């Protein structure tokens, strides 16, 4: 037997964390890492946040799981908070981002089914997109590394260039249901939608009665300094997928929708055994209460500005390695020059300087720190980035 007990789908690195303390991870041998990956934009309150720990412990001792056969006082309370704070009128809770995307796609298809236009089943999505690893999610991206060998994929998807409004407009025909787009692409390279693009998609949807589905699994939930990233653009979606930060480390996702868009989601159309169980709802509510307020969001904006400015100052000193900085709030990407490889540099920072980051497409290093970082963490990150840049020797 040569296959490992853990199915070998991840090229795991040598870091083997056993404990977390705030913005740090501690490995098996006691080594400390500054965690600017945060479980890929998940641990927004850092590790071991007392409010999160208490919410989990208290609810686990009170009532963990019941199934959706029964009424859900905690679910109603949390859904109401999300409805009050967003464009949405209704929420379906999931355990992950991919399931939230799946619910979004199903909600869109059902909408056209119940409004007598079942032929409108095609969803237009965009190059470099990442929408999770379900068959629905991989059908909505053009990235071969996620699709290869899983064919036949779902019909009813068309991928056109990201941030190209005219291409999006040209792809619309009488079979189109709407657009599925990340407000800010994460995996795809930390690229924000341009205002013209996102506002243009909204306008096309309004003019033609189509649905705008936003994937804010990575960029949403306070990451960019707004509760949701589309608030930077002055538009709202009809349907939105949320996950990652919403549970701050507890597996939780949500599909939010307007009353109109959710028209087809009636009794029996969708479901999940675990989705929205009492433990998840207690955690979601507790995280919401810590993070969704002006003080917390102002902190994210201030730290994001600080981090970005510090990196901008660093670039001229290392201009053979660093090309430019991009992103929004604490969703920051450093694009490297072609001569260097982002994955290699991420490994170098991790192994030699104790800084955890994540690579993305387009040769970008992603910085996704906990949203509770302080200036001292930014200073430490910049020190490590600078030292890492000095000592980095590209393999090629
Ligand atoms: C992470 C991610 C997903 C998938 O979420 P999972 O919880 O891994 O299923 C979907 N969309 C975006 C934009 C993501 O970043």
């Amino acid at each position: 037997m040569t296959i490992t007990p853990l199915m070998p789908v991840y090229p795991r690195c040598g870091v083997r964390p056993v404990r977390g303390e705030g913005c740090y991870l501690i490995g098996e041998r006691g080594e400390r890492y500054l965690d600017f990956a945060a479980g890929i934009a998940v641990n927004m309150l850092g590790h071991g946040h007392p409010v999160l720990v208490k919410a989990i412990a208290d609810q686990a001792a009170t009532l963990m799981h019941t199934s959706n056969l029964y009424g859900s006082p905690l679910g109603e309370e949390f859904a109401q908070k999300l409805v009050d704070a967003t464009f949405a009128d209704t929420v379906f809770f999931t355990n992950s981002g991919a399931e939230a995307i799946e619910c979004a796609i199903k909600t869109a298809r059902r909408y056209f089914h119940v409004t007598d236009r079942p032929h409108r089943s095609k969803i237009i999505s965009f190059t470099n997109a990442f929408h999770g690893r379900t068959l629905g999610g991989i059908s909505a991206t053009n990235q071969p590394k996620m699709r290869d060998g899983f064919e036949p994929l779902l019909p009813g998807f068309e991928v056109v260039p990201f941030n190209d409004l005219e291409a999006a407009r040209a792809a619309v025909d009488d079979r189109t249901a709407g657009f599925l787009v990340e407000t800010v692409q994460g995996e795809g390279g930390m690229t924000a939608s341009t205002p013209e693009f996102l506002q243009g998609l909204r306008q096309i949807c309004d003019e033609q009665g189509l649905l705008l589905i936003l994937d804010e699994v990575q960029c949403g939930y306070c990451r960019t300094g707004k509760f949701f990233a589309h608030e930077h653009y002055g538009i709202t979606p009809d349907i939105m997928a949320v996950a990652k930060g919403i549970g701050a480390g507890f597996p939780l996702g949500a599909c939010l929708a307007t009353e109109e868009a959710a028209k087809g989601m009636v009794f029996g159309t969708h479901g999940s055994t675990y989705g929205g169980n009492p433990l998840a709802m207690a955690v979601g509510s507790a995280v919401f209460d810590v993070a969704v307020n002006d003080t917390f969001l102002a902190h994210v904006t201030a730290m994001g500005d600080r981090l970005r400015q510090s990196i901008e100052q660093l670039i001229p000193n290392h201009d053979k390695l660093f090309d430019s900085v991009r992103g929004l709030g604490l969703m920051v990407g450093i694009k490297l020059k072609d001569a260097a490889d982002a994955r290699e540099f991420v490994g170098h920072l991790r192994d030699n300087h104790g800084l955890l980051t994540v690579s993305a497409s387009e040769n970008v290093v992603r910085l996704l720190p906990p949203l509770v970082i302080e200036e001292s963490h930014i200073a430490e990150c910049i020190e490590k980035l600078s030292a890492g840049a000095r000592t980095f020797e590209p393999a090629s």
Side-chain angles (χ1 to χ4, degrees):
M1 195 102 58
T2 54
I3 194 164
T4 48
L6 280 178
M7 193 182 276
V9 292
Y10 299 111
R12 294 173 188 273
C13 72
V15 177
R16 297 167 64 83
V18 290
R19 204 168 69 249
E21 289 172 6
C23 299
Y24 296 88
L25 276 182
I26 292 103
E28 254 175 350
R29 283 167 281 111
E31 67 282 20
R32 276 173 88 80
Y33 300 92
L34 179 64
D35 188 6
F36 269 47
I40 317 187
V42 168
N43 305 100
M44 67 128 124
L45 301 180
H47 302 282
H49 191 285
V51 173
L52 182 59
V53 172
K54 185 171 187 314
I56 294 172
D58 288 353
Q59 190 59 41
T62 307
L63 181 65
M64 190 146 74
H65 178 81
T66 56
S67 100
N68 289 305
L69 294 171
Y70 310 112
S72 174
L74 289 170
E76 285 165 10
E77 185 189 326
F78 183 35
Q80 187 68 55
K81 288 180 186 178
L82 292 173
V83 164
D84 289 345
T86 66
F87 74 97
D89 302 309
T90 192
V91 183
F92 181 88
F93 290 110
T94 69
N95 313 290
S96 68
E99 286 169 280
I101 288 290
E102 205 68 17
C103 181
I105 294 169
K106 289 179 73 175
T107 301
R109 287 198 172 171
R110 278 288 300 185
Y111 174 72
F112 289 100
H113 175 79
V114 298
T115 57
D116 295 323
R117 294 167 291 171
H119 53 281
R120 286 205 173 271
S121 60
K122 185 179 83 178
I123 291 176
I124 298 168
S125 59
F126 299 92
T127 48
N128 261 351
F130 180 62
H131 299 298
R133 301 296 197 129
T134 58
L135 282 168
I138 63 174
S139 300
T141 179
N142 68 328
Q143 297 196 53
K145 66 179 180 199
M146 294 172 197
R147 298 169 56 109
D148 279 0
F150 294 111
E151 298 86 358
L153 299 182
L154 287 194
F157 290 88
E158 181 175 347
V159 179
V160 304
F162 181 62
N163 268 338
D164 184 338
L165 184 60
E166 288 324 306
R169 194 191 305 279
V172 173
D173 58 25
D174 61 3
R175 310 196 72 79
T176 303
F179 302 105
L180 168 60
V181 61
E182 289 161 86
T183 313
V184 184
Q185 286 193 337
E187 197 77 32
M190 306 297 258
T191 318
S193 293
T194 62
E196 308 77 67
F197 177 65
L198 205 63
Q199 290 159 1
L201 294 183
R202 177 70 270 173
Q203 195 183 351
I204 295 170
C205 288
D206 290 342
E207 286 165 2
Q208 308 199 34
L210 308 180
L211 297 173
L212 179 62
I213 307 168
L214 292 184
D215 181 344
E216 293 223 8
V217 169
Q218 188 163 153
C219 64
Y221 235 82
C222 310
R223 177 59 51 189
T224 68
K226 301 274 190 196
F227 186 21
F228 288 104
H230 63 262
E231 296 169 37
H232 291 284
Y233 296 80
I235 59 114
T236 57
D238 302 292
I239 304 173
M240 179 169 69
V242 180
K244 294 206 164 98
I246 190 174
F250 189 87
L252 176 60
C255 176
L256 279 61
T258 63
E259 180 166 16
E260 175 68 14
K263 246 182 185 166
M265 301 306 276
V266 298
F267 290 156
T269 51
H270 195 46
S272 165
T273 297
Y274 291 130
N277 81 11
L279 183 54
M281 296 297 90
V283 169
S285 256
V287 173
F288 181 101
D289 291 347
V290 173
V292 186
N293 58 72
D294 291 344
T295 314
F296 190 91
L297 290 168
H299 177 77
V300 176
T301 302
M303 292 300 111
D305 290 348
R306 178 74 169 225
L307 179 58
R308 194 181 170 123
Q309 282 160 12
S310 308
I311 295 168
E312 263 158 14
Q313 286 170 7
L314 203 61
I315 291 177
N317 302 336
H318 305 282
D319 55 0
K320 286 202 179 65
L321 178 61
F322 298 143
D323 179 80
S324 51
V325 57
R326 46 167 82 173
L328 261 181
L330 282 174
M331 191 170 177
V332 174
I334 307 174
K335 184 170 172 57
L336 301 190
K337 290 276 168 65
D338 291 342
D341 178 72
R343 261 162 314 171
E344 269 179 37
F345 187 55
V346 164
H348 175 72
L349 290 171
R350 176 188 72 220
D351 297 339
N352 301 306
H353 298 277
L355 175 64
L356 302 180
T357 59
V358 199
S359 62
S361 299
E362 300 194 335
N363 214 21
V364 166
V365 175
R366 274 188 278 182
L367 303 181
L368 296 162
L371 304 184
V372 295
I373 53 165
E374 298 292 340
E375 284 182 9
S376 61
H377 301 113
I378 293 178
E380 189 181 342
C381 168
I382 294 298
E383 231 166 74
K384 289 176 184 302
L385 272 176
S386 174
R390 269 199 309 276
T391 53
F392 183 60
E393 284 168 29
S396 50

